[in-house]
Amino acid sequence: MTTPGLRIVVAEDSLLLREGLVSLLERFGHVVVASVGDAPELLEAVDRLAAAGEIPDFVITDVRMPPRHVDDGLRAALALRERFPTLPVLVLSQYIADVYARDLLRSPGGGVGYLLKDRVGRISDFLRSIDTIRAGGVMIDPEVVSNLMRRDDGPLAQLTPREREVLSLMAEGLSNTDIAGRLVVSDAAVSKHIGNIFAKLGLSAEDGHRRVRAVLAHLGA
């Protein structure tokens, strides 16, 4: 269950879904400090809160919103990350769109996520994603991960099938223990696979964001 008490901004042009998100978040102890229906309102809401010294703890936004109904929500999320680099952002999408995931993940430092809207209905997954992103991790919808796993070039070509499987689960935001449970192996085995992944991707022990960087490499970001 997600840690309660986060101050969250929600941006979604569908009133029904927006109200559903607000209700769900508040049910689990969060405070929705702004609920808006388009990208300009999202930017204005966060800027207004920041000006008052109350930068939100988290932003949830749809990809496609007014005024253009294309990638306005994503663009707003990227703009917010430029202004507030540590602001955790979760982007929701109706469809799998690799380019949106990659654009978001190019934002440095982790603390970002990309989920399909169907995932919101799986409450435990949705709440876990908030925890992962809030902690500075990367959370990618399993269906998006599966789609991106079809790539077989670059550094990823060095990985064994099991290592690619572990990396895929890392991209979903799973901890070592969660991965071990999913694959029915020991924590030590997972740690060994992850160490091999880091080595093959050229991520040194001094890199404090190796897990995030491995996921970025996995997604070609």
Side-chain angles (χ1 to χ4, degrees):
M1 183 179 296
T2 187
T3 303
L6 297 181
R7 300 170 60 259
I8 300 178
V9 173
V10 174
E12 165 61 55
D13 62 321
S14 166
L15 178 60
L16 183 62
L17 180 54
R18 185 166 74 246
E19 292 301 316
L21 283 169
V22 171
S23 177
L24 175 62
L25 292 166
E26 292 181 342
R27 190 195 339 158
F28 284 92
H30 299 299
V31 178
V32 177
V33 293
S35 174
V36 301
D38 63 46
E41 287 181 342
L42 170 58
L43 295 173
E44 291 169 8
V46 175
D47 284 343
R48 182 174 63 253
L49 289 164
E54 301 176 350
I55 297 174
D57 299 314
F58 206 96
V59 168
I60 299 174
T61 180
D62 188 11
V63 168
R64 296 188 177 188
M65 288 198 300
R68 296 182 306 128
H69 294 281
V70 185
D71 58 354
D72 303 71
L74 174 68
R75 290 178 180 273
L78 295 174
L80 289 174
R81 288 283 294 197
E82 288 182 2
R83 299 177 198 178
F84 311 103
T86 61
L87 177 62
V89 173
L90 170 59
V91 171
L92 302 177
S93 178
Q94 188 70 41
Y95 310 101
I96 295 176
D98 297 354
V99 65
Y100 292 153
R102 291 193 177 107
D103 284 348
L104 180 67
L105 289 169
R106 289 191 182 99
S107 178
V112 294
Y114 180 92
L115 293 183
L116 299 181
K117 289 184 177 179
D118 287 348
R119 194 68 48 185
V120 177
R122 304 172 192 179
I123 295 177
S124 61
D125 287 354
F126 179 60
L127 296 177
R128 179 171 59 84
S129 73
I130 293 176
D131 277 343
T132 299
I133 296 164
R134 173 64 175 160
V138 174
M139 180 69 192
I140 306 299
D141 193 280
E143 291 187 38
V144 176
V145 171
S146 177
N147 192 57
L148 291 167
M149 277 295 289
R150 296 170 186 166
R151 296 175 60 249
D152 192 24
D153 55 2
L156 296 181
Q158 306 174 56
L159 304 184
T160 66
R162 176 61 93 181
E163 288 165 356
R164 289 172 67 90
E165 190 173 13
V166 169
L167 183 54
S168 175
L169 294 174
M170 287 169 60
E172 294 179 27
L174 271 64
S175 67
N176 287 19
T177 299
D178 291 334
I179 294 172
R182 183 78 66 88
L183 298 179
V184 195
V185 298
S186 67
D187 283 8
V190 172
S191 295
K192 181 178 180 180
H193 287 311
I194 291 176
N196 290 339
I197 291 168
F198 290 157
K200 291 179 180 180
L201 296 181
L203 300 174
S204 70
E206 288 73 30
D207 190 335
H209 295 283
R210 288 195 298 172
R211 201 175 184 94
V212 172
R213 291 183 183 278
V215 172
L216 296 181
H218 165 55
L219 295 174

